[in-house]
Amino acid sequence: MEDIDIEQSEPFPVDRDGRQFRGGADRPDGGRKVGCCEKFQQSVSRWMLPEDSRSKYLERANCCPPPIFIILISIAELAVFIYYAVWKPQKQWVTLDEGIWRSPLTYKPERRQEAWRFISYMFVHAGVEHIVGNLVIQLLLGIPLEMVHKGFEVGMVYLAGVLAGSLCSSIFDPLSALVGASGGVYALLGGYFMNAVVNFREMIPLLGVFRILAIVIFVGTDFGFAFYRRFVSHEAGMRVSFVAHFGGIVAGMTIGYVFFSAYNKKLLKDPRFWLCIVAYISFVIFAVVFNVFLTPAT
């Protein structure tokens, strides 16, 4: 019989304490069972990233820290809604009236010199269907986005959409008030939509079709409510602008797309990033000049 050199033979699979593995399920890789958090991360990678970026994401992915920004902003919006619904008793919660129109958070054209209103209007909502629609979409979409791109990127896109929405409203619908977080929600939708369209071939086709259809259906439904609030239902004599939806989605399809398509890349070296930043700052400057010197609002 041929002698066997033990030192040259393949070592037995053992753990770090020297114990031999009994089966594939005990091995540190390959056959081990995947936990709930890892399964969720795999699902997130399929929904949010093209194929060539998924492995890198899964190598780094973890559930800590959790998606804090989108959860905290949702809790704040819900708390403000409940506050005004309880503090100023309403005939029905489907549509709130006097409470929100007198709020220091609501954007009003005659109070536009109070600059915080260009951002704070996102905390105030006109009714149950308004806040439920915004919260559902920003949680379903925002949490996975924040798990992949982290809170800073998602927060920047969200707030860029909120500000772009109020500035667009002040320019193109200058006599109307503004409430709701639709500008931020549409910024997330716009960025995700562009990413899904551009990377359609690199993502699972059926999921790609479903994503695009879901976004189109939501946008159509939400625009229906927005048009109703603007042209049909004038609560407490106030007109609610819908232009913030356009401002938010344009911000998402530009700034949001750059942020969400640049996974594992350095944004500062991406010329698209600087192009979008310059365009956005130019728009903000123009909007400020318009509101100071040219607006028809008194």
Side-chain angles (χ1 to χ4, degrees), residues 60-113:
R60 303 175 178 180
N62 59 72
C63 293
C64 294
I68 294 295
F69 172 81
I70 206 68
I71 292 176
L72 290 181
I73 207 75
S74 299
I75 292 174
E77 290 166 4
L78 182 60
V80 170
F81 176 82
I82 294 175
Y83 170 78
Y84 280 108
V86 173
W87 172 72
K88 188 72 176 181
Q90 312 293 325
K91 296 179 181 179
Q92 57 178 349
W93 274 28
V94 174
T95 300
L96 306 186
D97 42 43
E98 295 183 8
I100 62 172
W101 301 130
R102 297 178 181 178
S103 169
L105 303 177
T106 301
Y107 171 78
K108 293 181 178 180
E110 67 273 16
R111 295 289 187 89
R112 65 188 181 280
Q113 69 273 13

Side-chain angles (χ1 to χ4, degrees), residues 179-243:
V179 295
S182 295
V185 173
Y186 271 70
L188 299 181
L189 280 170
Y192 181 65
F193 178 81
M194 285 296 294
N195 200 18
V197 171
V198 172
N199 297 309
F200 184 84
R201 294 183 178 180
E202 299 179 34
M203 295 184 176
I204 301 174
L206 184 59
L207 292 181
V209 171
F210 175 78
R211 281 188 289 252
I212 294 173
L213 285 178
I215 292 173
V216 170
I217 291 172
F218 170 78
V219 169
T221 303
D222 193 53
F223 263 101
F225 280 116
F227 275 105
Y228 173 79
R229 287 191 297 267
R230 172 62 177 83
F231 296 107
V232 179
S233 178
H234 302 294
E235 294 93 350
M238 295 292 292
R239 296 188 301 179
V240 185
S241 177
F242 64 92
V243 181

Side-chain angles (χ1 to χ4, degrees), residues 9-282:
S9 63
E10 183 178 354
F12 293 108
V14 294
D15 62 15
R16 62 182 179 181
D17 295 323
R19 294 190 299 266
Q20 183 177 348
F21 290 113
R22 295 182 180 179
D26 296 325
R27 295 176 185 270
D29 55 3
R32 71 179 178 85
K33 293 183 179 179
V34 179
C36 294
C37 183
E38 291 171 306
K39 289 181 180 179
F40 183 63
Q41 297 285 4
Q42 290 174 358
S43 298
V44 168
S45 68
R46 288 194 295 268
W47 278 91
M48 297 292 154
L49 293 169
E51 187 174 0
D52 59 351
S53 299
R54 291 174 197 162
S55 59
K56 181 63 69 176
Y57 166 72
L58 292 174
E59 289 176 5
R60 303 175 178 180
N62 59 72
C63 293
C64 294
I68 294 295
F69 172 81
I70 206 68
I71 292 176
L72 290 181
I73 207 75
S74 299
I75 292 174
E77 290 166 4
L78 182 60
V80 170
F81 176 82
I82 294 175
Y83 170 78
Y84 280 108
V86 173
W87 172 72
K88 188 72 176 181
Q90 312 293 325
K91 296 179 181 179
Q92 57 178 349
W93 274 28
V94 174
T95 300
L96 306 186
D97 42 43
E98 295 183 8
I100 62 172
W101 301 130
R102 297 178 181 178
S103 169
L105 303 177
T106 301
Y107 171 78
K108 293 181 178 180
E110 67 273 16
R111 295 289 187 89
R112 65 188 181 280
Q113 69 273 13
E114 298 172 350
W116 70 82
R117 292 178 182 262
F118 284 89
I119 295 290
S120 64
Y121 77 94
M122 70 179 179
F123 293 108
V124 189
H125 289 77
V128 170
E129 92 289 340
H130 193 197
I131 190 170
V132 168
N134 283 343
L135 288 183
V136 168
I137 293 300
Q138 73 184 30
L139 286 172
L140 287 178
L141 186 58
I143 287 177
L145 280 173
E146 192 169 344
M147 292 177 68
V148 173
H149 301 284
K150 304 307 177 184
F152 176 77
E153 286 84 354
V154 173
M156 288 290 290
V157 173
Y158 189 91
L159 294 176
V162 170
L163 181 58
S166 57
L167 292 177
C168 278
S169 180
S170 69
I171 294 173
F172 298 105
D173 197 5
L175 302 180
S176 295
L178 192 61
V179 295
S182 295
V185 173
Y186 271 70
L188 299 181
L189 280 170
Y192 181 65
F193 178 81
M194 285 296 294
N195 200 18
V197 171
V198 172
N199 297 309
F200 184 84
R201 294 183 178 180
E202 299 179 34
M203 295 184 176
I204 301 174
L206 184 59
L207 292 181
V209 171
F210 175 78
R211 281 188 289 252
I212 294 173
L213 285 178
I215 292 173
V216 170
I217 291 172
F218 170 78
V219 169
T221 303
D222 193 53
F223 263 101
F225 280 116
F227 275 105
Y228 173 79
R229 287 191 297 267
R230 172 62 177 83
F231 296 107
V232 179
S233 178
H234 302 294
E235 294 93 350
M238 295 292 292
R239 296 188 301 179
V240 185
S241 177
F242 64 92
V243 181
H245 297 70
F246 290 105
I249 203 166
V250 171
M253 294 176 75
T254 53
I255 294 178
Y257 168 65
V258 172
F259 272 94
F260 298 156
S261 64
Y263 179 75
N264 198 36
K265 299 177 182 178
K266 294 182 178 180
L267 278 174
L268 297 181
K269 294 184 177 180
D270 190 339
R272 299 176 303 167
F273 171 77
W274 292 109
L275 180 62
C276 289
I277 293 298
V278 170
Y280 190 85
I281 292 176
S282 300

